[in-house]
Amino acid sequence: MTQASAAPGATRRRHDREIVALALPAFGALVAEPLFVLADSAIVGHLGTAQLAGLGVASALLMTAVGVFVFLAYATTAAVARRVGAGDMRSAIRQGMDGIWLALLIGAAVIAVALPTAPSLMEFLGASDTAASYATTYLRISVFGIPAMLVVLAATGILRGLQDTKTPLYVAVGGFVANAVLNVVLVYGVGLGIAGSAWGTVIAQCGMAAVYLYVVARGAREYGASLRPDVTGIRACAQAGTPLLVRTLSLRAILLIATTVAARLGDADMAAHQIILSLWSLLAFALDAIAIAGQAIIGRYLGADDAQGAREACRRMVQWGLVTGIALGLLVIATRPLFLPLFSGDSGVQNAALPALVMVAVSQPICGIVFVLDGVLMGAGDGPYLAWAMLLTLAVFTPVALLVPLLGGGLTALWGAMTLMMTMRMVTLWLRSRSGRWVVTGATR
């Protein structure tokens, strides 16, 4: 084998090692996060149906609040990774601290809004008369954990930017275990009921944030970075995150529209849609792990002024996304007859879900490319383009989805519209990646 032919192979292997080293722990951390709600549901469910219903309504709002501000992790990862690539560790930590201070400010604002409006919010979300009081109790306590969870997002972004995805995995697993133990003790041992579940989660979240703050403070001492708030830096962090906030809100609007349309199709289709959406979200974790690796790797290459390395890493990660998507699609096809009975014994629900799952399977290779390119452009700090591309996708998806019930289409047609949405995202992201305009080198974009 010649040196010329060996070099590309060596480059691919190097990229593969980097991707696996970052993506696998990231996947574990992503899977661990939803286990908080799962543990709470399992424990509170034994208190009664009304308590579980209240938990469901309140936790949906809390998860949405945290999910909307996920830009704290994405924007911080890109900014920190660039400075790591440039060899400026002090500025990397300082940039991360700006994200943490912004997280605390947003968290304080969320508390100020949620506490007095909790009963109205639960009524707006449709909590029943029997569940509303439990939902309000859970929300008013749990909202005190929001600043901690937003700090966790920002600090996770710092560590990802530092090319460390193992620490977030350890913290996520530790937080899940602590949450489960505290819930059992406070709910049943102390007898606090649903309030005990809320306090247990808040304590676990604050513990996770404390661990992250310790790790970041240790890094700041090592590299001489200041931990004090910097107004200019916090403002810059908010400006960088705003386009990603628009992107996230647009994506959530798409999912909300899809659920609204499914509800109009009837109870069986709605139940099937909920099952499929849960599976779709689970599959997204595997693909999002590669995207997270992309954010960290691309940011580092661009910060090191290595445009060619960034392009090569992008190509390799797209290959990873495509192959992973194909594998997941085949897995869905093979397991769908076994998967559905786990969630519903209703033949109507199963009959509605089976063909729709084929659309989900077909879309997985597309999703693989979309997630990876999304991560690449985030790592490049190309937030404004991501925002406009998602708004365009929302504008295309909305009329198509709303036409589904009007034209007599069923759940399969709705998930066909979802596949169209992902295809639209793939096209816009692919065009941007091909243009090369995202390749902006240097410690800052």
Side-chain angles (χ1 to χ4, degrees):
M1 182 180 294
T2 64
Q3 183 176 355
S5 63
T11 300
R12 285 194 298 270
R13 287 192 294 273
R14 184 179 75 251
H15 289 317
D16 290 345
R17 286 194 296 270
E18 287 183 327
I19 294 168
V20 171
L22 291 171
L24 281 181
F27 175 71
L30 288 169
V31 172
E33 290 173 7
L35 293 178
F36 269 89
V37 177
L38 185 62
D40 286 3
S41 299
I43 294 168
V44 172
H46 292 285
L47 293 175
T49 301
Q51 289 90 331
L52 183 58
L55 170 68
V57 176
S59 63
L61 181 61
L62 291 164
M63 290 177 67
T64 299
V66 174
V68 163
F69 298 115
V70 73
F71 73 85
L72 290 166
Y74 293 159
T76 304
T77 297
V80 171
R82 275 185 176 269
R83 286 161 175 77
V84 170
D88 190 352
M89 295 298 293
R90 184 179 179 214
S91 293
I93 299 293
R94 177 63 259 177
Q95 178 74 31
M97 281 306 305
D98 292 335
I100 287 177
W101 283 111
L102 177 61
L104 289 171
L105 290 174
I106 294 173
V110 171
I111 290 176
V113 171
L115 278 180
T117 61
S120 299
L121 288 171
M122 294 302 95
E123 181 180 356
F124 175 76
L125 291 174
S128 67
D129 293 339
T130 54
S133 62
Y134 295 113
T136 300
T137 297
Y138 190 88
L139 177 61
R140 279 181 164 163
I141 297 172
S142 294
V143 75
F144 287 104
I146 291 290
M149 285 308 296
L150 298 184
V151 167
V152 166
L153 286 178
T156 299
I158 296 175
L159 295 180
R160 288 173 180 170
L162 295 173
Q163 318 296 296
D164 176 11
T165 55
K166 290 184 179 178
T167 300
L169 171 61
Y170 300 149
V171 175
V173 172
F176 165 70
V177 173
N179 177 64
V181 172
L182 286 167
N183 268 254
V184 171
V185 171
L186 295 177
V187 171
Y188 297 111
V190 181
L192 295 180
I194 195 170
S197 176
W199 281 118
T201 300
V202 169
I203 294 170
Q205 290 167 340
C206 290
M208 293 170 66
V211 172
Y212 274 120
L213 290 175
Y214 170 77
V215 172
V216 173
R218 186 178 59 187
R221 287 195 301 270
E222 181 179 353
Y223 295 104
S226 173
L227 297 176
R228 295 178 180 178
D230 176 64
V231 175
T232 302
I234 294 172
R235 185 184 301 114
C237 187
Q239 290 173 345
T242 298
L244 295 180
L245 176 61
V246 172
R247 167 203 168 273
T248 301
L249 289 173
S250 300
L251 179 58
R252 289 195 170 271
I254 287 172
L255 297 177
L256 179 61
I257 290 169
T259 300
T260 302
V261 171
R264 294 179 182 177
L265 298 176
D267 290 346
D269 282 344
M270 181 59 215
H273 175 75
Q274 182 59 35
I275 294 171
I276 294 171
L277 189 60
S278 299
L279 174 63
W280 194 72
S281 300
L282 179 62
L283 296 173
F285 286 137
L287 300 173
D288 202 26
I290 304 174
I292 288 170
Q295 294 172 30
I297 293 171
I298 294 299
R300 192 189 73 232
Y301 274 116
L302 294 178
D305 293 323
D306 188 355
Q308 182 61 27
R311 291 189 181 94
E312 291 174 352
C314 175
R315 282 194 294 270
R316 190 56 177 163
M317 280 182 285
V318 168
Q319 293 170 0
W320 269 80
L322 178 60
V323 171
T324 304
I326 292 173
L328 291 175
L330 293 174
L331 183 64
V332 170
I333 291 292
T335 61
R336 62 194 180 114
L338 304 174
F339 170 76
L340 289 173
L342 296 176
F343 291 86
S344 176
D346 188 326
S347 60
V349 173
Q350 294 183 19
N351 291 335
L354 274 172
L357 278 173
V358 174
M359 296 301 303
V360 172
V362 169
S363 71
Q364 287 310 297
I366 299 172
C367 293
I369 296 173
V370 167
F371 274 76
V372 168
L373 290 179
D374 208 36
V376 166
L377 296 184
M378 283 184 190
D382 205 10
Y385 181 83
L386 290 172
W388 284 112
M390 188 61 77
L391 285 171
L392 176 61
T393 301
L394 173 62
V396 172
F397 171 79
T398 301
V400 174
L402 294 178
L403 282 173
V404 168
L406 294 177
L407 297 178
L411 191 63
T412 302
L414 175 60
W415 276 93
M418 291 287 286
T419 301
L420 173 65
M421 178 270 293
M422 294 303 295
T423 302
M424 183 72 184
R425 290 187 67 191
M426 182 180 70
V427 170
T428 57
L429 296 174
W430 180 80
L431 288 174
R432 186 64 167 182
S433 68
R434 291 282 293 176
S435 73
R437 293 178 183 174
W438 60 276
V439 184
V440 179
T441 58
T444 59
R445 182 177 172 89

